[in-house]
Amino acid sequence: MKRQPRGDNSAWDEVLAHRPTDVRDDVRARLVESGLTPERVREVLADGGDVLYATAKSGEEDWANRFGGPLAVALLAAEVSAFAAHLNSRASAVRALAVDSLLDDFSAVTVAARLGVSRQKVYDISRGNLSASFIDRVPWSSHE
């Protein structure tokens, strides 16, 4: 029987929206087992890991305790990394759509020159799509 992490799953689903649905339960379980809450993860993602990084850089002996210890810090840093990767993939999908549109009106050589990439790279870029499940807004966005 699969263990259900305690707490509000909708809060976890919201804060882990950048994770594919098939891995969210496992990620949530690891976070909960290390004592982390959706609010703590949201806080770290909202500033892109700035406070986490500054605290790690501080040189204080027990710097990780503020976040729940080294395991919690490792898991929080992994979420910042997963979130950044998600945003990178989302931006790549938007770029692909734009490049594909450019190829309707311009040659690959012209598009490549304007983007500063090779002609072959233009074709590689244009193969992406927006069919993946991307988050609509970053946590720090003021746009509705």
Side-chain angles (χ1 to χ4, degrees):
M1 187 166 140
K2 194 167 189 173
R3 181 177 173 271
Q4 286 293 322
R6 68 183 182 274
D8 181 6
N9 283 349
S10 65
W12 279 112
D13 285 340
E14 181 183 318
V15 79
L16 296 176
H18 60 280
R19 290 286 197 162
T21 55
D22 62 333
V23 301
R24 279 188 205 156
D25 285 343
D26 291 338
V27 171
R28 175 177 35 237
R30 285 191 298 273
L31 293 166
V32 168
E33 287 170 7
S34 71
L36 291 166
T37 64
E39 294 75 23
R40 173 58 96 177
V41 175
R42 184 179 295 109
E43 178 183 291
V44 170
L45 293 179
D47 74 0
D50 284 351
V51 172
L52 191 67
Y53 175 71
T55 306
K57 224 174 81 166
S58 72
E60 294 177 19
E61 187 174 324
D62 295 328
W63 66 270
N65 290 346
R66 173 179 177 183
F67 299 95
L71 177 59
V73 168
L75 291 168
L76 288 168
E79 284 316 300
V80 171
S81 181
F83 186 69
H86 177 86
L87 293 180
N88 187 54
S89 294
R90 186 180 75 168
S92 293
V94 171
R95 183 182 187 199
L97 189 62
V99 168
D100 191 50
S101 179
L102 286 169
L103 290 173
D104 289 342
D105 298 322
F106 303 100
S107 72
V109 172
T110 300
V111 173
R114 297 297 299 266
L115 295 178
V117 298
S118 71
R119 180 179 56 83
Q120 184 57 45
K121 185 66 177 173
V122 167
Y123 293 122
D124 292 343
I125 292 169
S126 70
R127 288 191 192 112
N129 63 59
L130 288 174
S131 64
S133 178
F134 295 115
I135 60 171
D136 292 326
R137 293 189 332 255
V138 294
W140 56 85
S141 175
S142 61
H143 297 102
E144 287 296 325

